[in-house]
Amino acid sequence: MAVCARLCGVGPSRGCRRRQQRRGPAETAAADSEPDTDPEEERIEAGGALCGAPGGRGAGPPPPPRCSLLELPPELLVEIFASLPGTDLPSLAQVCTKFRRILHTDTIWRRRCREEYGVCENLRKLDITGVSCRDVYAKLLHRYRHILGLWQPDIGPYGGLLNVVVDGLFIIGWMYLPPHDPHVDDPMRFKPLFRVHLMERKSATVECMYGHRGPHNGHIQIVKKDEFSTKCNQTDHHRMSGGRQEEFRTWLREEWGRTLEDIFHEHMQELILMKFIYTSQYDNCLTYRRIYLPPSHPDDLIRPGLFKGTYGSHGLEIVMLSFHGKCARGTKITGDPNIPAGQQTVEIDLMHRIQLPDVESLRNFSELSRIVLEVREQVRQEQQQQENGPEDGEGRGQQSPREPQRGPAQPSAELPAEKGGESRDGEAEAAAPPAPEQPAQSGQGQPFVLPVGVSSRNEDYPRTCRMCFYGTGLIAGHGFTSPERTPGVFILFDEDRFGFIWLELKSFSLYSRVQATFQNAEAPSPQAFEEMLKNIQSLTS
């Protein structure tokens, strides 16, 4: 504001200049020897660009009178003010009456709405309702700016993905849902949970969009930084005339794209009914915690982000893939009663690459198990040596991701049959038919086929892969009881798809990238992203 005051020709700077002009040569020389306490003011004085002063301080004739910003035509001031951040304009209005009057010009706030929040609607139509662009900026966009971005709702083990965006003259919270099982490559589905708008009133209106009876009264409360809650004030709008049975059938068609009669698997029916009973009790009265998209680095195996994955009887779930130096992690954004949202479903050891055998040998599950368990033993030995301290250079043998190795066969290579069954993120189904064999090219197109006996919800998986790594997958009993990490294989198919073979479950999960674009979802720093991962995991640990 000191700069604005000087440009207007008011404040201490003008007085200083007049006193300087009244000084004699001795006083001027003494003043020039004093240290300068305002670098910004010195920069403006020395430049002399705004007032046209030739030369430096104390040199030559007295400078001509300073040009005041107040003397500029109003249309030029409007253009200047419209280029400033909206958060700075209230302070600018306190400079003088003229500035305050000019800042009531809607052109300024229309540009701020467009450049800061991407409002592309024709804001001129607001004149009909008596709402100004300044009202839209101050009472809608600026007031609710803290809820824009990605959020995870606190719905017990199920979690979710909420994207809050500016949509025209509304702020809308869209719940993103995976496609219907098992079509992992289909686009995401989404439905509105709430919206905020400023159309006819001088204060923003919050509406709940849950249910099938149209918008109704709701409330949003910003609890603390990176957390807010929603509340529906008319939950009767969520009820249907046919009672809970009709609500369940409607929910089932939306959630699974089928009827209960179409689902013959009894255990899957139990899981679906359990999820409906649990999630419907919230009635859109939820607490949300902010999540960030993972930061990307040039040396990442693939671009990190959100992926849709198959999880047996639990259907499709959303997983966030992120890279952390020598490992990569898949964190559940949505979850289930076995492995809840927030937990690390898979972890990939990028230092231990696996070279798959030829297609004929790969069809044998025992051969794949032997290879993976050899790598697991190697990892165990390396971890033990690191804990005991290096004794000599031999035996460390850390495997490079560019030089896959296979150690000697272990006697107990084959793992026991499915442990925990479908209640541990697996489901017994027939393996997909093998693909014709192709010549392997490391990192470019190695033939891939699931071993006989490994179940897959989606038989339309890629038949070539780029590379494979050793990894571990988290399995647990119902209620996240007795969790343990078990060995598996991470298969990178292409930039947008990867898979994971759960050896103990004899199950395969296929993951496909979420192609949606999310704004206001970048982490302010790598440390903030790591802290976010710890926070969402601690909620279900």
Side-chain angles (χ1 to χ4, degrees):
M1 292 312 303
V3 176
C4 291
R6 299 191 65 246
L7 295 177
C8 299
V10 298
S13 58
R14 184 172 62 176
C16 291
R17 179 173 296 279
R18 290 178 175 176
R19 286 193 299 269
Q20 181 178 344
Q21 292 175 358
R22 291 196 299 265
R23 291 174 180 165
E27 294 175 336
T28 301
D32 288 342
S33 64
E34 296 179 358
D36 194 350
T37 58
D38 190 348
E40 179 65 20
E41 185 172 340
E42 173 64 20
R43 184 182 67 82
I44 296 175
E45 289 284 349
L50 291 174
C51 59
R57 182 184 302 175
R66 169 186 297 276
C67 295
S68 172
L69 194 61
L70 288 170
E71 298 174 2
L72 295 177
E75 58 271 17
L76 185 55
L77 290 176
V78 168
E79 185 65 23
I80 294 174
F81 294 169
S83 64
L84 299 176
T87 52
D88 292 347
L89 298 182
S91 299
L92 189 61
Q94 299 177 7
V95 173
C96 63
T97 304
K98 181 177 181 179
F99 283 9
R100 184 163 59 252
R101 184 174 62 253
I102 291 177
L103 286 171
H104 279 81
T105 306
D106 241 22
T107 305
I108 298 173
W109 301 99
R110 185 180 299 115
R111 181 172 169 182
R112 290 297 90 222
C113 292
R114 183 179 65 252
E115 294 185 358
E116 294 183 23
Y117 296 99
V119 178
C120 299
E121 291 284 323
N122 183 6
L123 297 178
R124 297 182 184 276
K125 64 184 180 182
L126 289 175
D127 297 338
I128 303 175
T129 62
V131 178
S132 66
C133 295
R134 183 179 183 181
D135 291 332
V136 172
Y137 184 95
K139 299 177 181 180
L140 177 66
L141 302 177
H142 183 72
R143 178 180 178 184
Y144 289 96
R145 69 192 184 281
H146 296 301
I147 70 172
L148 299 177
L150 289 179
W151 304 84
Q152 185 181 51
D154 184 9
I155 314 180
Y158 297 103
L161 180 64
L162 180 81
N163 185 27
V164 183
V165 300
V166 175
D167 189 347
L169 298 178
F170 294 85
I171 291 179
I172 303 180
W174 296 97
M175 180 67 81
Y176 274 67
L177 305 172
H180 293 138
D181 180 60
H183 307 290
V184 70
D185 286 326
D186 286 358
M188 295 284 287
R189 301 173 294 125
F190 46 88
K191 63 179 181 180
L193 291 190
F194 63 84
R195 70 181 185 183
V196 191
H197 64 104
L198 187 73
M199 297 296 289
E200 299 178 356
R201 302 179 181 180
K202 292 298 182 179
S203 61
T205 299
V206 178
E207 293 178 327
C208 175
M209 305 291 288
Y210 190 78
H212 299 270
R213 297 175 60 181
H216 46 282
N217 189 22
H219 177 71
I220 290 179
Q221 180 181 3
I222 300 178
V223 181
K224 57 183 180 180
K225 183 182 178 182
D226 296 334
E227 184 176 323
F228 77 97
S229 62
T230 59
K231 180 182 179 181
C232 176
N233 298 329
Q234 295 176 287
T235 55
D236 57 299
H237 280 62
H238 305 167
R239 307 283 78 87
M240 303 185 73
S241 58
R244 298 290 281 176
Q245 189 173 8
E246 182 182 355
E247 294 173 15
F248 174 65
R249 289 176 178 174
T250 303
W251 175 86
L252 186 60
R253 287 195 300 268
E254 295 177 351
E255 187 81 7
W256 290 82
R258 64 182 82 175
T259 64
L260 195 62
E261 291 75 16
D262 297 332
I263 303 174
F264 301 105
H265 200 286
E266 183 178 354
H267 181 66
M268 182 180 291
Q269 291 180 350
E270 294 176 355
L271 291 173
I272 291 174
L273 183 59
M274 182 189 310
K275 183 175 182 179
F276 169 75
I277 295 174
Y278 191 95
T279 57
S280 61
Q281 66 180 332
Y282 284 91
D283 269 335
N284 208 23
C285 300
L286 298 169
T287 299
Y288 299 88
R289 295 175 177 85
R290 184 180 293 279
I291 58 177
Y292 298 115
L293 293 177
S296 179
H297 305 283
D299 55 347
D300 289 338
L301 193 62
I302 60 173
R303 180 167 55 90
L306 299 175
F307 290 79
K308 305 153 286 183
T310 55
Y311 279 87
S313 299
H314 299 293
L316 299 187
E317 299 183 9
I318 303 174
V319 171
M320 176 184 290
L321 179 68
S322 57
F323 291 88
H324 309 265
K326 299 179 180 180
C327 71
R329 301 188 182 107
T331 303
K332 278 195 172 186
I333 302 301
T334 63
D336 52 68
N338 296 89
I339 307 298
Q343 294 297 318
Q344 291 178 6
T345 175
V346 295
E347 184 169 336
I348 303 100
D349 188 342
L350 299 176
M351 300 303 296
H352 291 84
R353 184 171 169 181
I354 290 178
Q355 180 65 46
L356 296 179
D358 59 81
V359 172
E360 289 300 325
S361 300
L362 185 58
R363 293 193 179 104
N364 187 343
F365 180 75
S366 298
E367 176 66 11
L368 179 64
S369 298
R370 180 186 66 82
I371 295 173
V372 175
L373 292 180
E374 289 174 355
V375 178
R376 183 179 69 171
E377 178 63 22
Q378 179 184 355
V379 172
R380 188 193 64 81
Q381 293 178 0
E382 292 174 359
Q383 291 176 346
Q384 185 176 6
Q385 290 178 357
Q386 290 177 359
E387 293 175 357
N388 298 335
E391 296 179 358
D392 51 44
E394 302 179 9
R396 301 282 297 181
Q398 191 173 43
Q399 185 174 332
S400 168
R402 295 184 179 273
E403 299 178 1
Q405 299 178 5
R406 292 167 53 187
Q410 301 294 323
S412 56
E414 185 170 2
L415 288 168
E418 185 174 352
K419 180 179 179 181
E422 297 134 4
S423 64
R424 312 198 108 194
D425 281 354
E427 182 178 11
E429 295 183 5
E437 184 173 348
Q438 302 178 13
Q441 296 180 0
S442 176
Q444 297 182 357
Q446 179 179 358
F448 175 80
V449 63
L450 286 177
V452 176
V454 175
S455 64
S456 174
R457 292 288 297 170
N458 194 323
E459 297 182 357
D460 189 23
Y461 62 87
R463 295 310 197 265
T464 58
C465 65
R466 292 183 182 178
M467 56 187 74
C468 301
F469 294 88
Y470 172 77
T472 58
L474 184 62
I475 63 175
H478 187 84
F480 197 42
T481 57
S482 304
E484 59 177 318
R485 305 208 69 88
T486 59
V489 183
F490 171 84
I491 307 105
L492 176 62
F493 294 115
D494 50 46
E495 178 65 24
D496 297 323
R497 290 179 296 179
F498 65 88
F500 191 84
I501 298 178
W502 313 73
L503 288 189
E504 186 163 331
L505 302 178
K506 300 186 73 173
S507 176
F508 171 73
S509 293
L510 177 63
Y511 301 83
S512 179
R513 184 182 299 277
V514 175
Q515 298 292 351
T517 301
F518 301 103
Q519 297 182 352
N520 302 297
E522 301 298 328
S525 66
Q527 294 76 17
F529 176 78
E530 294 290 344
E531 188 66 25
M532 180 271 299
L533 286 182
K534 294 179 182 177
N535 290 338
I536 64 174
Q537 184 176 6
S538 64
L539 297 176
T540 55
S541 298

